[in-house]
């Protein structure tokens, strides 16, 4: 099961908001980045999750 499918199943409202953000960006925003933005908009206490998603991977 992909992360996108899992997100749609567990957080449909956040996923719907993210989908609308992606559509409005005309291809300039990935679903992953839009999902994190939507999640923080709907649940401000999860800002640490958004920041974690933008940290470059360690080698």
């Amino acid at each position: 099961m992909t992360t996108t499918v899992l997100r749609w199943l567990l957080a449909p409202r956040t996923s719907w908001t993210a989908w609308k953000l992606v559509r409005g960006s005309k291809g300039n925003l990935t679903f992953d980045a839009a999902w994190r933005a939507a999640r923080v908009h709907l649940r401000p206490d999860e800002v640490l999750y958004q920041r974690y998603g933008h940290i470059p991977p360690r080698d």
Side-chain angles (χ1 to χ4, degrees):
M1 184 175 299
T2 66
T3 304
T4 303
V5 172
L6 191 59
R7 285 177 174 171
W8 273 102
L9 292 173
L10 296 177
R13 183 174 174 209
T14 303
S15 298
W16 179 254
T17 304
W19 181 79
K20 291 191 304 186
L21 286 172
V22 170
R23 292 284 307 240
S25 75
K26 297 182 177 66
N28 294 322
L29 188 64
T30 65
F31 182 77
D32 189 47
W35 197 90
R36 286 193 302 264
R39 191 68 184 176
V40 170
H41 175 71
L42 295 171
R43 308 226 185 266
D45 58 314
E46 295 186 10
V47 73
L48 295 176
Y49 173 75
Q50 182 188 32
R51 288 187 186 148
Y52 177 78
H54 291 285
I55 296 173
R58 294 182 186 181
D59 289 333

Short mmCIF file of all heavy atoms in Angstrom, two decimals:
data_model
loop_
_atom_site.label_atom_id
_atom_site.label_comp_id
_atom_site.label_asym_id
_atom_site.label_seq_id
_atom_site.Cartn_x
_atom_site.Cartn_y
_atom_site.Cartn_z
N MET A 1 0.85 -1.17 0.00
CA MET A 1 0.00 0.00 0.00
C MET A 1 0.90 1.24 0.00
O MET A 1 1.81 1.34 0.80
CB MET A 1 -0.89 -0.03 1.24
CG MET A 1 -1.89 1.10 1.26
SD MET A 1 -3.06 1.03 2.63
CE MET A 1 -3.88 -0.47 2.35
N THR A 2 0.62 2.17 -0.88
CA THR A 2 1.45 3.36 -0.97
C THR A 2 1.08 4.37 0.12
O THR A 2 0.00 4.30 0.72
CB THR A 2 1.29 4.05 -2.33
OG1 THR A 2 -0.05 4.55 -2.43
CG2 THR A 2 1.61 3.10 -3.47
N THR A 3 1.97 5.29 0.34
CA THR A 3 1.73 6.33 1.35
C THR A 3 0.52 7.18 0.98
O THR A 3 -0.28 7.53 1.85
CB THR A 3 2.97 7.24 1.46
OG1 THR A 3 4.10 6.42 1.74
CG2 THR A 3 2.81 8.26 2.55
N THR A 4 0.35 7.46 -0.30
CA THR A 4 -0.78 8.27 -0.74
C THR A 4 -2.11 7.58 -0.42
O THR A 4 -3.03 8.22 0.10
CB THR A 4 -0.67 8.56 -2.25
OG1 THR A 4 0.57 9.22 -2.50
CG2 THR A 4 -1.80 9.45 -2.72
N VAL A 5 -2.20 6.31 -0.72
CA VAL A 5 -3.43 5.55 -0.43
C VAL A 5 -3.68 5.50 1.07
O VAL A 5 -4.81 5.70 1.53
CB VAL A 5 -3.36 4.13 -1.03
CG1 VAL A 5 -4.53 3.29 -0.58
CG2 VAL A 5 -3.28 4.20 -2.54
N LEU A 6 -2.64 5.24 1.82
CA LEU A 6 -2.78 5.19 3.27
C LEU A 6 -3.26 6.53 3.83
O LEU A 6 -4.12 6.57 4.71
CB LEU A 6 -1.45 4.78 3.90
CG LEU A 6 -1.46 4.43 5.37
CD1 LEU A 6 -2.41 3.29 5.64
CD2 LEU A 6 -0.06 4.10 5.83
N ARG A 7 -2.72 7.61 3.31
CA ARG A 7 -3.15 8.94 3.76
C ARG A 7 -4.61 9.18 3.42
O ARG A 7 -5.35 9.76 4.22
CB ARG A 7 -2.28 10.01 3.13
CG ARG A 7 -0.92 10.10 3.74
CD ARG A 7 -0.08 11.12 3.03
NE ARG A 7 1.19 11.30 3.71
CZ ARG A 7 2.18 12.00 3.22
NH1 ARG A 7 2.07 12.59 2.04
NH2 ARG A 7 3.30 12.12 3.89
N TRP A 8 -5.06 8.77 2.22
CA TRP A 8 -6.47 8.95 1.85
C TRP A 8 -7.38 8.16 2.78
O TRP A 8 -8.46 8.62 3.14
CB TRP A 8 -6.71 8.52 0.40
CG TRP A 8 -6.47 9.63 -0.58
CD1 TRP A 8 -5.38 9.79 -1.37
CD2 TRP A 8 -7.33 10.73 -0.89
NE1 TRP A 8 -5.50 10.92 -2.13
CE2 TRP A 8 -6.69 11.52 -1.86
CE3 TRP A 8 -8.58 11.13 -0.43
CZ2 TRP A 8 -7.27 12.67 -2.38
CZ3 TRP A 8 -9.16 12.29 -0.95
CH2 TRP A 8 -8.50 13.04 -1.92
N LEU A 9 -6.95 6.97 3.18
CA LEU A 9 -7.78 6.14 4.06
C LEU A 9 -7.83 6.67 5.49
O LEU A 9 -8.88 6.65 6.13
CB LEU A 9 -7.26 4.70 4.07
CG LEU A 9 -7.42 3.93 2.76
CD1 LEU A 9 -6.71 2.58 2.87
CD2 LEU A 9 -8.88 3.75 2.42
N LEU A 10 -6.69 7.13 6.00
CA LEU A 10 -6.62 7.54 7.40
C LEU A 10 -6.98 9.01 7.64
O LEU A 10 -7.42 9.36 8.74
CB LEU A 10 -5.21 7.26 7.95
CG LEU A 10 -4.82 5.78 7.98
CD1 LEU A 10 -3.39 5.64 8.47
CD2 LEU A 10 -5.77 4.99 8.86
N ALA A 11 -6.77 9.85 6.64
CA ALA A 11 -7.05 11.28 6.82
C ALA A 11 -7.68 11.85 5.54
O ALA A 11 -7.04 12.61 4.81
CB ALA A 11 -5.76 12.03 7.17
N PRO A 12 -8.92 11.48 5.26
CA PRO A 12 -9.53 11.92 4.00
C PRO A 12 -9.70 13.44 3.89
O PRO A 12 -9.55 13.99 2.80
CB PRO A 12 -10.87 11.20 3.98
CG PRO A 12 -11.12 10.77 5.37
CD PRO A 12 -9.80 10.62 6.03
N ARG A 13 -10.00 14.10 4.98
CA ARG A 13 -10.18 15.56 4.92
C ARG A 13 -8.86 16.26 4.57
O ARG A 13 -8.83 17.16 3.73
CB ARG A 13 -10.72 16.08 6.25
CG ARG A 13 -10.99 17.56 6.24
CD ARG A 13 -11.65 18.00 7.53
NE ARG A 13 -11.76 19.44 7.55
CZ ARG A 13 -11.76 20.15 8.64
NH1 ARG A 13 -11.68 19.56 9.82
NH2 ARG A 13 -11.84 21.45 8.60
N THR A 14 -7.79 15.83 5.19
CA THR A 14 -6.47 16.39 4.90
C THR A 14 -6.09 16.08 3.45
O THR A 14 -5.58 16.96 2.74
CB THR A 14 -5.41 15.81 5.85
OG1 THR A 14 -5.80 16.07 7.20
CG2 THR A 14 -4.05 16.42 5.60
N SER A 15 -6.34 14.87 3.00
CA SER A 15 -6.01 14.49 1.63
C SER A 15 -6.81 15.28 0.62
O SER A 15 -6.29 15.69 -0.43
CB SER A 15 -6.23 12.99 1.43
OG SER A 15 -5.39 12.27 2.29
N TRP A 16 -8.09 15.50 0.89
CA TRP A 16 -8.93 16.28 -0.01
C TRP A 16 -8.41 17.72 -0.11
O TRP A 16 -8.32 18.28 -1.20
CB TRP A 16 -10.38 16.28 0.48
CG TRP A 16 -11.29 17.09 -0.38
CD1 TRP A 16 -11.83 18.30 -0.07
CD2 TRP A 16 -11.76 16.77 -1.68
NE1 TRP A 16 -12.61 18.75 -1.10
CE2 TRP A 16 -12.58 17.83 -2.12
CE3 TRP A 16 -11.54 15.70 -2.54
CZ2 TRP A 16 -13.19 17.83 -3.36
CZ3 TRP A 16 -12.16 15.71 -3.78
CH2 TRP A 16 -12.97 16.76 -4.18
N THR A 17 -8.04 18.31 1.02
CA THR A 17 -7.49 19.66 1.04
C THR A 17 -6.17 19.70 0.27
O THR A 17 -5.92 20.63 -0.51
CB THR A 17 -7.28 20.15 2.49
OG1 THR A 17 -8.52 20.06 3.18
CG2 THR A 17 -6.78 21.57 2.52
N ALA A 18 -5.33 18.70 0.45
CA ALA A 18 -4.06 18.62 -0.27
C ALA A 18 -4.29 18.49 -1.77
O ALA A 18 -3.60 19.13 -2.57
CB ALA A 18 -3.24 17.44 0.24
N TRP A 19 -5.25 17.67 -2.15
CA TRP A 19 -5.56 17.50 -3.58
C TRP A 19 -5.99 18.82 -4.20
O TRP A 19 -5.58 19.16 -5.30
CB TRP A 19 -6.65 16.44 -3.73
CG TRP A 19 -7.02 16.18 -5.16
CD1 TRP A 19 -6.33 15.42 -6.04
CD2 TRP A 19 -8.17 16.68 -5.84
NE1 TRP A 19 -6.98 15.42 -7.25
CE2 TRP A 19 -8.11 16.19 -7.15
CE3 TRP A 19 -9.23 17.50 -5.47
CZ2 TRP A 19 -9.09 16.48 -8.09
CZ3 TRP A 19 -10.18 17.80 -6.41
CH2 TRP A 19 -10.12 17.30 -7.71
N LYS A 20 -6.80 19.60 -3.47
CA LYS A 20 -7.21 20.91 -3.98
C LYS A 20 -6.01 21.85 -4.10
O LYS A 20 -5.94 22.63 -5.05
CB LYS A 20 -8.29 21.52 -3.08
CG LYS A 20 -9.61 20.78 -3.17
CD LYS A 20 -10.76 21.52 -2.51
CE LYS A 20 -10.49 21.84 -1.08
NZ LYS A 20 -11.64 22.42 -0.38
N LEU A 21 -5.07 21.78 -3.16
CA LEU A 21 -3.87 22.61 -3.25
C LEU A 21 -3.02 22.24 -4.46
O LEU A 21 -2.51 23.12 -5.17
CB LEU A 21 -3.03 22.47 -1.97
CG LEU A 21 -3.55 23.15 -0.72
CD1 LEU A 21 -2.70 22.74 0.49
CD2 LEU A 21 -3.53 24.66 -0.88
N VAL A 22 -2.87 20.95 -4.71
CA VAL A 22 -2.10 20.50 -5.87
C VAL A 22 -2.76 20.95 -7.16
O VAL A 22 -2.09 21.45 -8.07
CB VAL A 22 -1.93 18.96 -5.85
CG1 VAL A 22 -1.34 18.46 -7.15
CG2 VAL A 22 -1.07 18.54 -4.68
N ARG A 23 -4.06 20.81 -7.26
CA ARG A 23 -4.79 21.24 -8.46
C ARG A 23 -4.65 22.74 -8.68
O ARG A 23 -4.48 23.19 -9.80
CB ARG A 23 -6.28 20.88 -8.36
CG ARG A 23 -6.60 19.42 -8.39
CD ARG A 23 -6.50 18.84 -9.78
NE ARG A 23 -7.28 19.59 -10.72
CZ ARG A 23 -8.29 19.14 -11.44
NH1 ARG A 23 -8.64 17.89 -11.30
NH2 ARG A 23 -8.90 19.90 -12.30
N GLY A 24 -4.70 23.52 -7.60
CA GLY A 24 -4.59 24.97 -7.70
C GLY A 24 -3.19 25.44 -8.04
O GLY A 24 -3.01 26.53 -8.57
N SER A 25 -2.19 24.61 -7.76
CA SER A 25 -0.80 25.01 -8.02
C SER A 25 -0.39 24.76 -9.47
O SER A 25 0.70 25.15 -9.86
CB SER A 25 0.15 24.29 -7.08
OG SER A 25 0.31 22.94 -7.47
N LYS A 26 -1.22 24.07 -10.23
CA LYS A 26 -0.95 23.75 -11.65
C LYS A 26 0.38 23.02 -11.83
O LYS A 26 1.18 23.36 -12.70
CB LYS A 26 -1.00 25.02 -12.49
CG LYS A 26 -2.36 25.64 -12.48
CD LYS A 26 -2.40 26.86 -13.35
CE LYS A 26 -3.69 27.46 -13.43
NZ LYS A 26 -4.64 28.00 -13.11
N GLY A 27 0.65 22.06 -10.97
CA GLY A 27 1.84 21.23 -11.11
C GLY A 27 3.08 21.74 -10.40
O GLY A 27 4.13 21.13 -10.51
N ASN A 28 2.98 22.82 -9.67
CA ASN A 28 4.14 23.38 -8.97
C ASN A 28 4.30 22.84 -7.55
O ASN A 28 5.26 23.20 -6.87
CB ASN A 28 4.06 24.90 -8.93
CG ASN A 28 4.18 25.51 -10.31
OD1 ASN A 28 4.94 25.02 -11.14
ND2 ASN A 28 3.42 26.55 -10.55
N LEU A 29 3.38 22.02 -7.10
CA LEU A 29 3.40 21.51 -5.73
C LEU A 29 3.16 20.01 -5.77
O LEU A 29 2.22 19.55 -6.42
CB LEU A 29 2.31 22.22 -4.91
CG LEU A 29 2.25 22.02 -3.42
CD1 LEU A 29 3.51 22.56 -2.76
CD2 LEU A 29 1.04 22.72 -2.84
N THR A 30 3.98 19.25 -5.06
CA THR A 30 3.77 17.81 -5.00
C THR A 30 2.66 17.50 -4.00
O THR A 30 2.37 18.29 -3.11
CB THR A 30 5.05 17.07 -4.57
OG1 THR A 30 5.37 17.44 -3.22
CG2 THR A 30 6.21 17.38 -5.49
N PHE A 31 2.07 16.31 -4.15
CA PHE A 31 1.03 15.92 -3.21
C PHE A 31 1.58 15.80 -1.81
O PHE A 31 0.93 16.16 -0.84
CB PHE A 31 0.38 14.59 -3.64
CG PHE A 31 -0.73 14.17 -2.74
CD1 PHE A 31 -1.97 14.77 -2.82
CD2 PHE A 31 -0.55 13.17 -1.80
CE1 PHE A 31 -3.01 14.39 -1.97
CE2 PHE A 31 -1.57 12.78 -0.96
CZ PHE A 31 -2.81 13.39 -1.05
N ASP A 32 2.82 15.32 -1.68
CA ASP A 32 3.43 15.16 -0.36
C ASP A 32 3.58 16.51 0.34
O ASP A 32 3.21 16.65 1.51
CB ASP A 32 4.79 14.49 -0.51
CG ASP A 32 5.39 14.10 0.83
OD1 ASP A 32 4.66 13.51 1.65
OD2 ASP A 32 6.57 14.39 1.04
N ALA A 33 4.10 17.51 -0.36
CA ALA A 33 4.26 18.85 0.23
C ALA A 33 2.90 19.48 0.52
O ALA A 33 2.70 20.11 1.56
CB ALA A 33 5.07 19.74 -0.69
N ALA A 34 1.96 19.28 -0.38
CA ALA A 34 0.61 19.82 -0.17
C ALA A 34 -0.06 19.15 1.02
O ALA A 34 -0.77 19.79 1.80
CB ALA A 34 -0.23 19.63 -1.42
N TRP A 35 0.17 17.85 1.18
CA TRP A 35 -0.44 17.13 2.30
C TRP A 35 0.08 17.65 3.63
O TRP A 35 -0.68 17.86 4.56
CB TRP A 35 -0.16 15.62 2.17
CG TRP A 35 -1.07 14.79 3.01
CD1 TRP A 35 -2.26 14.27 2.64
CD2 TRP A 35 -0.86 14.40 4.38
NE1 TRP A 35 -2.81 13.57 3.68
CE2 TRP A 35 -1.97 13.63 4.77
CE3 TRP A 35 0.15 14.61 5.29
CZ2 TRP A 35 -2.10 13.08 6.02
CZ3 TRP A 35 0.02 14.06 6.56
CH2 TRP A 35 -1.09 13.30 6.91
N ARG A 36 1.40 17.89 3.70
CA ARG A 36 1.97 18.43 4.93
C ARG A 36 1.43 19.84 5.22
O ARG A 36 1.10 20.16 6.36
CB ARG A 36 3.50 18.45 4.86
CG ARG A 36 4.10 17.07 4.99
CD ARG A 36 5.59 17.11 5.22
NE ARG A 36 6.32 17.81 4.18
CZ ARG A 36 6.90 17.23 3.15
NH1 ARG A 36 6.84 15.94 3.02
NH2 ARG A 36 7.56 17.95 2.26
N ALA A 37 1.29 20.66 4.18
CA ALA A 37 0.75 22.01 4.36
C ALA A 37 -0.71 21.95 4.83
O ALA A 37 -1.12 22.69 5.73
CB ALA A 37 0.86 22.81 3.07
N ALA A 38 -1.48 21.06 4.23
CA ALA A 38 -2.89 20.92 4.62
C ALA A 38 -3.00 20.39 6.04
O ALA A 38 -3.86 20.83 6.81
CB ALA A 38 -3.60 19.97 3.65
N ARG A 39 -2.15 19.46 6.39
CA ARG A 39 -2.19 18.88 7.74
C ARG A 39 -1.91 19.94 8.79
O ARG A 39 -2.59 20.00 9.82
CB ARG A 39 -1.17 17.73 7.83
CG ARG A 39 -1.31 16.92 9.08
CD ARG A 39 -2.59 16.14 9.05
NE ARG A 39 -2.75 15.43 10.32
CZ ARG A 39 -3.82 14.73 10.62
NH1 ARG A 39 -4.80 14.61 9.76
NH2 ARG A 39 -3.91 14.13 11.77
N VAL A 40 -0.91 20.78 8.55
CA VAL A 40 -0.58 21.83 9.50
C VAL A 40 -1.69 22.88 9.55
O VAL A 40 -1.99 23.43 10.61
CB VAL A 40 0.78 22.47 9.16
CG1 VAL A 40 1.04 23.71 9.98
CG2 VAL A 40 1.88 21.46 9.40
N HIS A 41 -2.32 23.14 8.41
CA HIS A 41 -3.43 24.10 8.39
C HIS A 41 -4.61 23.58 9.22
O HIS A 41 -5.22 24.34 9.98
CB HIS A 41 -3.88 24.35 6.94
CG HIS A 41 -5.07 25.23 6.83
ND1 HIS A 41 -5.02 26.58 7.10
CD2 HIS A 41 -6.36 24.95 6.52
CE1 HIS A 41 -6.23 27.09 6.95
NE2 HIS A 41 -7.06 26.12 6.60
N LEU A 42 -4.90 22.30 9.08
CA LEU A 42 -6.03 21.71 9.81
C LEU A 42 -5.68 21.37 11.26
O LEU A 42 -6.55 21.37 12.13
CB LEU A 42 -6.52 20.45 9.09
CG LEU A 42 -7.11 20.68 7.70
CD1 LEU A 42 -7.37 19.35 7.01
CD2 LEU A 42 -8.39 21.49 7.79
N ARG A 43 -4.42 21.05 11.52
CA ARG A 43 -3.96 20.67 12.86
C ARG A 43 -2.64 21.38 13.16
O ARG A 43 -1.56 20.80 12.99
CB ARG A 43 -3.75 19.17 12.94
CG ARG A 43 -4.95 18.37 12.48
CD ARG A 43 -5.25 17.26 13.44
NE ARG A 43 -6.31 16.42 12.96
CZ ARG A 43 -7.58 16.60 13.30
NH1 ARG A 43 -7.92 17.58 14.06
NH2 ARG A 43 -8.51 15.79 12.85
N PRO A 44 -2.70 22.64 13.64
CA PRO A 44 -1.49 23.43 13.86
C PRO A 44 -0.49 22.79 14.84
O PRO A 44 0.70 23.08 14.78
CB PRO A 44 -2.01 24.75 14.43
CG PRO A 44 -3.44 24.80 14.06
CD PRO A 44 -3.91 23.39 13.92
N ASP A 45 -0.96 21.91 15.70
CA ASP A 45 -0.05 21.27 16.65
C ASP A 45 0.91 20.29 15.98
O ASP A 45 1.87 19.84 16.61
CB ASP A 45 -0.84 20.56 17.75
CG ASP A 45 -1.79 19.52 17.21
OD1 ASP A 45 -2.50 19.83 16.24
OD2 ASP A 45 -1.83 18.41 17.75
N GLU A 46 0.73 20.00 14.70
CA GLU A 46 1.59 19.06 13.99
C GLU A 46 2.65 19.75 13.13
O GLU A 46 3.14 19.18 12.17
CB GLU A 46 0.74 18.12 13.15
CG GLU A 46 -0.13 17.23 14.01
CD GLU A 46 -0.87 16.19 13.21
OE1 GLU A 46 -0.59 16.01 12.01
OE2 GLU A 46 -1.76 15.55 13.80
N VAL A 47 3.01 20.97 13.48
CA VAL A 47 4.00 21.70 12.70
C VAL A 47 5.35 20.99 12.69
O VAL A 47 6.10 21.08 11.71
CB VAL A 47 4.13 23.16 13.19
CG1 VAL A 47 4.85 23.25 14.52
CG2 VAL A 47 4.84 24.02 12.16
N LEU A 48 5.67 20.25 13.72
CA LEU A 48 6.94 19.50 13.75
C LEU A 48 6.98 18.43 12.66
O LEU A 48 8.04 18.16 12.10
CB LEU A 48 7.16 18.87 15.12
CG LEU A 48 7.36 19.86 16.27
CD1 LEU A 48 7.47 19.13 17.59
CD2 LEU A 48 8.58 20.72 16.02
N TYR A 49 5.83 17.83 12.34
CA TYR A 49 5.77 16.85 11.26
C TYR A 49 6.13 17.51 9.93
O TYR A 49 6.87 16.96 9.13
CB TYR A 49 4.38 16.22 11.19
CG TYR A 49 4.22 15.32 9.99
CD1 TYR A 49 4.81 14.07 9.96
CD2 TYR A 49 3.50 15.74 8.88
CE1 TYR A 49 4.68 13.25 8.86
CE2 TYR A 49 3.37 14.93 7.77
CZ TYR A 49 3.96 13.69 7.77
OH TYR A 49 3.84 12.89 6.68
N GLN A 50 5.62 18.70 9.70
CA GLN A 50 5.91 19.40 8.45
C GLN A 50 7.40 19.72 8.36
O GLN A 50 8.02 19.53 7.33
CB GLN A 50 5.10 20.69 8.34
CG GLN A 50 5.35 21.42 7.02
CD GLN A 50 4.70 22.78 6.98
OE1 GLN A 50 4.57 23.43 8.00
NE2 GLN A 50 4.30 23.19 5.81
N ARG A 51 7.96 20.20 9.43
CA ARG A 51 9.39 20.52 9.43
C ARG A 51 10.23 19.27 9.20
O ARG A 51 11.23 19.31 8.50
CB ARG A 51 9.78 21.19 10.74
CG ARG A 51 9.24 22.58 10.84
CD ARG A 51 9.77 23.29 12.06
NE ARG A 51 9.11 24.57 12.18
CZ ARG A 51 8.85 25.15 13.33
NH1 ARG A 51 9.19 24.58 14.46
NH2 ARG A 51 8.24 26.32 13.36
N TYR A 52 9.84 18.15 9.78
CA TYR A 52 10.58 16.91 9.62
C TYR A 52 10.59 16.49 8.14
O TYR A 52 11.59 15.99 7.65
CB TYR A 52 9.96 15.80 10.47
CG TYR A 52 10.64 14.48 10.29
CD1 TYR A 52 11.85 14.21 10.90
CD2 TYR A 52 10.08 13.49 9.48
CE1 TYR A 52 12.49 12.99 10.73
CE2 TYR A 52 10.70 12.27 9.30
CZ TYR A 52 11.90 12.04 9.94
OH TYR A 52 12.53 10.84 9.76
N GLY A 53 9.52 16.71 7.44
CA GLY A 53 9.42 16.32 6.03
C GLY A 53 10.33 17.12 5.13
O GLY A 53 10.61 16.72 4.00
N HIS A 54 10.81 18.26 5.58
CA HIS A 54 11.66 19.10 4.74
C HIS A 54 13.14 19.02 5.13
O HIS A 54 13.94 19.76 4.59
CB HIS A 54 11.19 20.56 4.82
CG HIS A 54 9.87 20.77 4.16
ND1 HIS A 54 9.72 20.80 2.80
CD2 HIS A 54 8.63 20.93 4.65
CE1 HIS A 54 8.45 20.98 2.48
NE2 HIS A 54 7.76 21.06 3.60
N ILE A 55 13.46 18.13 6.02
CA ILE A 55 14.86 17.94 6.41
C ILE A 55 15.51 17.00 5.39
O ILE A 55 14.97 15.93 5.10
CB ILE A 55 14.97 17.34 7.83
CG1 ILE A 55 14.39 18.32 8.84
CG2 ILE A 55 16.42 16.99 8.16
CD1 ILE A 55 14.30 17.74 10.25
N PRO A 56 16.66 17.38 4.82
CA PRO A 56 17.30 16.49 3.86
C PRO A 56 17.76 15.19 4.52
O PRO A 56 18.13 15.19 5.69
CB PRO A 56 18.49 17.31 3.36
CG PRO A 56 18.67 18.41 4.32
CD PRO A 56 17.38 18.61 5.05
N PRO A 57 17.73 14.08 3.80
CA PRO A 57 18.13 12.80 4.39
C PRO A 57 19.62 12.78 4.74
O PRO A 57 20.43 13.39 4.05
CB PRO A 57 17.80 11.77 3.30
CG PRO A 57 17.73 12.56 2.04
CD PRO A 57 17.35 13.96 2.42
N ARG A 58 19.94 12.05 5.80
CA ARG A 58 21.34 11.89 6.20
C ARG A 58 21.99 10.78 5.38
O ARG A 58 21.35 9.81 5.01
CB ARG A 58 21.43 11.53 7.68
CG ARG A 58 20.97 12.61 8.58
CD ARG A 58 21.15 12.17 10.01
NE ARG A 58 20.56 13.16 10.90
CZ ARG A 58 20.59 13.05 12.20
NH1 ARG A 58 21.13 12.01 12.77
NH2 ARG A 58 20.03 13.98 12.95
N ASP A 59 23.27 10.89 5.19
CA ASP A 59 24.00 9.84 4.46
C ASP A 59 24.59 8.83 5.41
O ASP A 59 24.85 9.00 6.49
CB ASP A 59 25.12 10.45 3.63
CG ASP A 59 24.56 11.23 2.45
OD1 ASP A 59 23.45 10.89 2.01
OD2 ASP A 59 25.23 12.16 1.99
#
